[in-house]
Amino acid sequence: MGGEVILSVLLLHLIAPSENALPPRLPKEQKSIATIPKPVEKELYIGAIFPINGTGGWLGGQGCLPAALMALDDVNAESNLLPGYKMMMPFFDSQCNPGLGASVMYDLLYNPPKKLMLLGGCSIVCSTIAEAAKMWNLVVISYGSSSPALSNRKRFPTFFRTHPSATIHNPTRIKLFQKFKWSRIAIIQEAEEVFISTGEDLETRCKEAGIEIVTRQSFLTDPTDAVRNLVRQDARIIVGMFYVAAARKVICEAYKQKVYGKQYVWFLIGWYEDDWYTFMDRTHNCTVQQMKEALEGHLTTEALMLNQGSEPTISGMTSAQFLERYEDVLHDDYGYIGRRPEGYQEAPLAYDAIWAIALALNKTINQLREINASIEDFTYDNQYIAQQIYSAMNTTQFLGVSGYVAFSSKGDRIAWTQVEQMIDGNYTLLGYFDTQTNNLTWFKKEKWADGRPPPDRTIIVQVLRTVTLSLFISMTTVSCMGIVWAIGLLIFNTIFRHSRYIQLSHPMCNNIMLIGIICCLLCACLLGLDGQFVGEESFNTLCQARAWLLTIGFTLSYGAMFSKIWRVHRLTTKSKSESKKVASWKLYVMVCVLLFIDIIILSAWQFIDPLQRKLEVFPLEDPPESQDIKIAPQLEHCESENNAIWLGVIYGYKGLLLIFGIFLAYETRSVKVKQLNDSRLVGMSIYNVVVLCLITAPVTLVINSQTDATFAFVALAIIVCCFLSMALIFMPKIIELIRRPRERIDARTLTDTITSREEEDRQLRLQRENEELRRQINEREEQIRIVTQALQERNALRNLQVSSTVSAGDRVRITVPGNYTDGVMLVPKDNIAIDPTSDSGFITGTSIARSSRGSRSDFEFSESYL
């Protein structure tokens, strides 16, 4: 063991200087250590290590050394304390460097006189000297070590400290988190043992309290990446653990990356000086104003390092008197004007640490005196006296300027903590927390930018994407108008069901179609109902209602038209020998079969894999104004586990029906049958339904995530299909019944054979043709009568002339024209002909061919003279 120690000493002497380092400002005039002369001048030495100069870590020796020297003066001046002895305190500067700290410790130990105890400063140096001090049976007391690792009695069995452990901040932080309802924090720490162990302790306590630590970032020298990661993790409540030099870097980087303001709360260590951020160095390039802006509103937690009462302490001074005297020393002896040295707040701890050493040594001296032993007999191998010093220190209790001083079984200081907040550039005391009783004393002086504590995270507002109210109202209104129209057509169809014009359009099929249209229009209304109208529990029922209404409605409306067009196709494809009659019940059976298939599919879907409310979550969106809120859009869908399979079955079955229907409509596009007078209109309706369905189905799958677009597109498709079908099939019937009241007559009272409008039009046309032919016949007959009368008069005149000639003895020769070969004058040999060109099938009259002219050439007269 001795060889290892010697080797360590040699190595440390090689890597670190061993000369005594002085504080940056030496006293102007050294005061006498003892103001009251002692009867015996026996000196008791304690070795002291102060972090004074340096570039990193805690350099609190600048403020603690003057306070320790004050305490040394007061202890040596106390006549009832250490009678016959005088405490001496040689000290060295460790620069808060563990290597240099070990080196100066060995200088203290191996250079006479022997030291009874060691006084340490910063945590990383104390970790080195406290772990090694047990080899020399030395008790170590620290005034500035807060590392939780130093509470480990196995590693540091002889260590005590008047500075509370850094873990004392953690119960206070947890209490504040709970007070302000923060359940999500982040940690950024310097890669030092004191902060690493404190962070681990905080993490454990947060886990027990149900507080989430979203990230824990560490850095060595440059905190840029660590701060950037805080931004990435959306950290809002940030606990920072680092020395003051690193704190300036972190806050400057936080200012650059905008990690400050009303959205953020920083928790920093409270033992920094009040003006720590005003110190300018080369490690950061932020101005004092920028640092002040970034630090506004941050909170600090620190152990109470100054007695809050006004009663005298063990030194006879109150805490206020101590501060007054201490500041005078800083001003007069060390030249601190206008600013405070680092370690100013820990000065009462250093003062009380000297008093704790004095009290422990005083108690040890008394106990040794009872066994006729002396403290001068102490050597580094004397475990008995070392144990007596340890026991005396462990039981030391007194009221010091830093408060009530007592040590736990782990050597930690038992103390209260205080909470402060920077308000308008100044630290304001907010309250105290007693870790022993878990009691928080709060003064309600906190100040927040928005009048309330900021949230611990970006507030995620879940916004349900719903159909725009105006769009829903407009579509619902049109759908309701369509429902009313369909009901009106049902009434119309029922009233005139026996009219021959209505009867020839299969009114029962039309009624079925209208019922299906009503179901489809009701579904269009239900498609607009969402989370703004229906609760989560009722939404599943709504999903089932939509599926049933739309499927059944489509089958009833399209199935009725399909059955009618199928009947037309059957009538036109039957041979002449087959019966042309298709029974109406077959049409109804066809619709029932289609309806039964739908019921089977929907029932299986509902019982095996029912439709349920599923939420589609979209990426977060920024609101137009607030920066603390992110919008998480959500969209409700009616889906089942195997939704694609069920939709495939429905679409496949309906698709085949649509394709077959449009095929039948195309095949019968030019066919007219008297048994179904609206077949062409039904075909046009089928065209419209098929085209809109083939467009709507794929487009809806594409725009499924757009609420208004999906609802508008599907609802419009349903409305257009329904309105077009009703208009095409029923409007001609209504117009016809208005124009031709005769069509309203009950078809059961008629006996004529005209069964359709086309046949009646043909009859009217034939009648007009017949009347025209009769008029022409009358005109011809009148012309014939006139010509016949003229011929008769001429013949009579000629007969008289012949008679007179014959009587005179002349002979006359009459030549008869060839077309009068029957010997009868003016009677043609052609028969009366019936007009065969008329398509009426009626005999309209006679067509007579007569000669309308009697010329002189028709007769030749020959005279012979006897």
Side-chain angles (χ1 to χ4, degrees):
M1 180 67 69
E4 294 177 358
V5 172
I6 294 172
L7 180 59
S8 300
V9 171
L10 292 175
L11 289 174
L12 289 171
H13 273 283
L14 288 175
I15 64 173
S18 61
E19 295 186 1
N20 192 7
L22 297 177
R25 295 177 176 86
L26 293 177
K28 296 179 179 178
E29 181 181 352
Q30 283 287 350
K31 293 185 178 181
S32 174
I33 297 298
T35 57
I36 301 177
K38 298 285 183 81
V40 179
E41 293 290 335
K42 293 182 180 179
E43 295 178 343
L44 301 177
Y45 287 89
I46 59 172
I49 301 174
F50 291 90
I52 300 174
N53 300 303
T55 57
W58 181 68
L59 304 178
Q62 299 173 12
C64 291
L65 176 59
L69 294 177
M70 284 174 53
L72 195 61
D73 289 344
D74 293 344
V75 165
N76 289 330
E78 181 64 40
S79 58
N80 295 326
L81 187 63
L82 297 176
Y85 293 96
K86 177 182 179 181
M87 277 184 57
M88 306 296 292
M89 189 184 69
F91 60 87
F92 290 86
D93 181 10
S94 68
Q95 300 182 14
C96 200
N97 185 308
L100 182 58
S103 176
V104 298
M105 181 193 73
Y106 292 128
D107 282 345
L108 288 169
L109 296 180
Y110 285 98
N111 292 323
K114 63 179 178 291
K115 313 303 183 297
L116 297 176
M117 297 177 67
L118 293 177
L119 180 67
C122 64
S123 296
I124 54 178
V125 172
C126 285
S127 298
T128 301
I129 64 176
E131 193 168 13
K134 62 185 178 181
M135 311 304 300
W136 284 269
N137 295 313
L138 289 174
V139 172
V140 179
I141 186 168
S142 173
Y143 54 85
S145 300
S146 61
S147 174
L150 293 169
S151 300
N152 189 342
R153 270 292 181 241
K154 292 182 178 180
R155 286 183 61 191
F156 314 104
T158 62
F159 180 77
F160 295 89
R161 51 184 165 184
T162 57
H163 193 298
S165 171
T167 57
I168 202 171
H169 298 265
N170 292 337
T172 309
R173 290 164 177 158
I174 297 295
K175 193 70 175 180
L176 292 177
F177 297 156
Q178 293 172 342
K179 175 179 175 58
F180 295 118
K181 296 180 174 57
W182 292 325
S183 60
R184 184 177 182 269
I185 69 166
I187 299 174
I188 179 172
Q189 63 191 23
E190 191 176 3
E192 297 285 355
E193 182 184 18
V194 56
F195 305 123
I196 294 174
S197 55
T198 304
E200 292 173 351
D201 179 75
L202 178 60
E203 191 170 357
T204 301
R205 293 177 185 269
C206 285
K207 186 176 181 181
E208 294 174 354
I211 297 173
E212 176 191 1
I213 297 181
V214 63
T215 184
R216 184 177 169 188
Q217 298 294 321
S218 298
F219 66 92
L220 286 173
T221 57
D222 186 5
T224 302
D225 292 336
V227 175
R228 185 179 295 114
N229 289 333
L230 295 178
V231 178
R232 291 174 181 171
Q233 296 296 330
D234 189 36
R236 298 302 180 91
I237 311 302
I238 305 170
V239 178
M241 293 180 285
F242 23 69
Y243 288 120
V244 65
R248 298 188 188 100
K249 298 179 184 178
V250 172
I251 298 303
C252 181
E253 191 61 36
Y255 177 83
K256 294 177 182 178
Q257 299 194 30
K258 307 297 182 183
V259 192
Y260 70 94
K262 64 180 182 180
Q263 304 174 21
Y264 299 92
V265 176
W266 282 83
F267 278 79
L268 301 181
I269 299 173
W271 40 257
Y272 304 154
E273 301 306 320
D274 289 350
D275 59 348
W276 63 272
Y277 60 90
T278 63
F279 184 77
M280 302 299 296
D281 55 26
R282 297 179 180 178
T283 59
H284 69 90
N285 56 2
C286 292
T287 64
V288 175
Q289 185 60 33
Q290 291 172 341
M291 297 285 285
K292 183 178 179 180
E293 182 180 353
L295 286 169
E296 181 65 25
H298 82 275
L299 299 175
T300 65
T301 57
E302 60 177 313
L304 278 178
M305 300 181 187
L306 188 68
N307 183 24
Q308 302 300 306
S310 58
E311 67 274 17
T313 64
I314 193 171
S315 64
M317 296 184 297
T318 63
S319 56
Q321 292 170 342
F322 164 78
L323 286 179
E324 183 179 356
R325 179 184 167 192
Y326 174 64
E327 290 180 356
D328 289 340
V329 170
L330 291 177
H331 182 272
D332 298 338
D333 296 344
Y334 292 89
Y336 284 102
I337 301 174
R339 62 176 297 268
R340 295 172 178 176
E342 189 170 351
Y344 176 90
Q345 294 186 3
E346 289 79 10
L349 304 179
Y351 184 89
D352 285 345
I354 298 297
W355 274 93
I357 292 173
L359 291 172
L361 290 177
N362 187 70
K363 187 174 183 179
T364 302
I365 290 171
N366 293 332
Q367 290 176 346
L368 291 175
R369 188 175 295 151
E370 293 176 359
I371 60 173
N372 296 321
S374 173
I375 198 169
E376 292 111 296
D377 298 334
F378 174 79
T379 62
Y380 295 140
D381 296 327
N382 193 328
Q383 295 185 0
Y384 177 77
I385 296 179
Q387 183 62 37
Q388 292 299 316
I389 296 174
Y390 174 84
S391 299
M393 181 63 72
N394 196 34
T395 57
T396 296
Q397 297 180 6
F398 64 94
L399 180 62
V401 294
S402 65
Y404 188 76
V405 179
F407 303 103
S408 69
S409 59
K410 295 180 180 181
D412 295 335
R413 170 76 177 273
I414 300 173
W416 283 25
T417 56
Q418 70 177 16
V419 182
E420 293 181 327
Q421 183 184 32
M422 178 173 280
I423 301 176
D424 298 328
N426 298 313
Y427 284 101
T428 302
L429 181 63
L430 301 183
Y432 300 104
F433 181 68
D434 184 0
T435 57
Q436 298 295 317
T437 62
N438 195 34
N439 180 46
L440 178 64
T441 303
W442 198 251
F443 302 145
K444 297 183 179 180
K445 294 182 179 180
E446 69 273 20
K447 182 178 179 181
W448 308 107
D450 290 337
R452 59 182 178 82
D456 59 2
R457 68 197 73 195
T458 299
I459 300 175
I460 306 299
V461 179
Q462 296 179 350
V463 177
L464 193 64
R465 286 185 174 177
T466 58
V467 176
T468 304
L469 188 59
S470 59
L471 177 63
F472 172 72
I473 293 175
S474 60
M475 290 298 176
T476 303
T477 302
V478 176
S479 299
C480 291
M481 291 172 59
I483 293 173
V484 172
W485 186 17
I487 294 174
L489 292 177
L490 275 173
I491 297 173
F492 166 80
N493 220 33
T494 303
I495 294 174
F496 295 101
R497 65 185 181 277
H498 297 306
S499 170
R500 62 179 178 181
Y501 192 74
I502 300 298
Q503 196 176 49
L504 290 174
S505 64
H506 278 285
M508 185 56 67
C509 284
N510 292 339
N511 290 340
I512 294 174
M513 183 193 74
L514 289 172
I515 294 173
I517 287 175
I518 292 174
C519 292
C520 291
L521 291 175
L522 282 175
C523 180
C525 296
L526 296 183
L527 288 174
L529 294 177
D530 45 33
Q532 62 181 329
F533 303 108
V534 181
E536 295 183 9
E537 297 180 356
S538 303
F539 198 85
N540 294 338
T541 305
L542 179 64
C543 291
Q544 301 294 340
R546 288 176 181 175
W548 280 84
L549 279 176
L550 186 59
T551 305
I552 298 301
F554 176 84
T555 298
L556 290 176
S557 56
Y558 182 78
M561 293 187 290
F562 178 83
S563 63
K564 291 171 74 173
I565 206 70
W566 173 79
R567 184 184 187 191
V568 173
H569 186 267
R570 288 284 295 164
L571 290 173
T572 57
T573 55
K574 279 188 176 183
S575 61
K576 294 182 179 181
S577 61
E578 294 178 337
S579 174
K580 292 286 184 178
K581 185 176 181 181
V582 177
S584 298
W585 65 268
K586 293 184 179 181
L587 306 183
Y588 309 144
V589 168
M590 181 178 295
V591 176
C592 291
V593 170
L594 297 177
L595 188 61
F596 180 74
I597 295 174
D598 282 343
I599 293 174
I600 294 296
I601 296 175
L602 291 174
S603 299
W605 191 356
Q606 183 171 353
F607 287 105
I608 297 175
D609 188 15
L611 287 169
Q612 295 178 346
R613 177 179 182 266
K614 296 291 181 67
L615 284 178
E616 180 183 0
V617 180
F618 296 89
L620 297 178
E621 298 177 356
D622 294 322
E625 297 179 358
S626 177
Q627 297 179 353
D628 291 333
I629 298 176
K630 291 284 187 180
I631 297 176
Q634 296 179 338
L635 181 60
E636 293 174 312
H637 292 291
C638 290
E639 293 182 0
S640 56
E641 295 297 329
N642 301 304
N643 197 60
I645 296 176
W646 294 107
L647 287 179
V649 172
I650 294 290
Y651 286 169
Y653 156 56
K654 300 295 183 184
L656 291 175
L657 198 61
L658 289 172
I659 293 173
F660 192 35
I662 199 171
F663 167 75
L664 295 179
Y666 179 79
E667 287 291 316
T668 59
R669 64 190 181 278
S670 59
V671 174
K672 292 182 179 180
V673 293
K674 66 180 181 179
Q675 291 90 341
L676 198 63
N677 59 7
D678 58 356
S679 59
R680 287 187 177 181
L681 300 175
V682 171
M684 292 177 63
S685 298
I686 289 177
Y687 291 150
N688 293 325
V689 172
V690 172
V691 171
L692 287 174
C693 288
L694 292 180
I695 294 175
T696 304
V699 172
T700 303
L701 296 176
V702 174
I703 63 173
N704 196 30
S705 298
Q706 302 178 28
T707 312
D708 287 344
T710 303
F711 171 66
F713 198 82
V714 175
L716 278 176
I718 294 174
I719 291 171
V720 169
C721 283
C722 295
F723 275 65
L724 278 178
S725 298
M726 290 189 292
L728 287 173
I729 294 177
F730 285 95
M731 288 304 295
K733 296 178 175 58
I734 296 173
I735 295 172
E736 185 64 25
L737 292 183
I738 293 174
R739 287 177 54 193
R740 303 175 66 82
R742 183 183 173 191
E743 295 294 343
R744 304 175 194 172
I745 301 174
D746 196 333
R748 294 171 295 182
T749 64
L750 301 178
T751 57
D752 56 68
T753 59
I754 301 175
T755 59
S756 66
R757 179 179 175 182
E758 289 78 3
E759 293 179 356
E760 183 175 352
D761 291 340
R762 184 167 177 267
Q763 176 194 7
L764 293 176
R765 186 176 66 254
L766 293 175
Q767 288 177 351
R768 288 194 296 268
E769 290 179 0
N770 205 7
E771 291 175 358
E772 178 66 21
L773 291 175
R774 287 180 183 275
R775 186 185 63 79
Q776 292 178 6
I777 289 172
N778 291 333
E779 291 178 356
R780 296 286 180 90
E781 287 180 347
E782 181 64 23
Q783 291 177 0
I784 292 172
R785 187 185 64 78
I786 294 172
V787 171
T788 302
Q789 184 178 359
L791 289 176
Q792 289 177 354
E793 292 177 354
R794 181 178 294 180
N795 289 334
L797 179 59
R798 288 182 178 176
N799 288 335
L800 293 176
Q801 293 176 354
V802 170
S803 299
S804 62
T805 302
V806 170
S807 61
D810 295 332
R811 229 178 7 172
V812 179
R813 186 177 62 182
I814 300 175
T815 303
V816 181
N819 55 343
Y820 293 98
T821 56
D822 56 357
V824 181
M825 181 63 70
L826 301 177
V827 179
K829 67 178 180 180
D830 298 327
N831 295 324
I832 296 174
I834 298 175
D835 184 12
T837 60
S838 175
D839 60 352
S840 64
F842 294 93
I843 301 175
T844 60
T846 58
S847 297
I848 302 175
R850 297 178 180 267
S851 175
S852 61
R853 183 186 63 185
S855 62
R856 183 176 296 271
S857 62
D858 292 336
F859 305 98
E860 293 182 4
F861 295 94
S862 299
E863 297 180 359
S864 63
Y865 299 91
L866 299 176

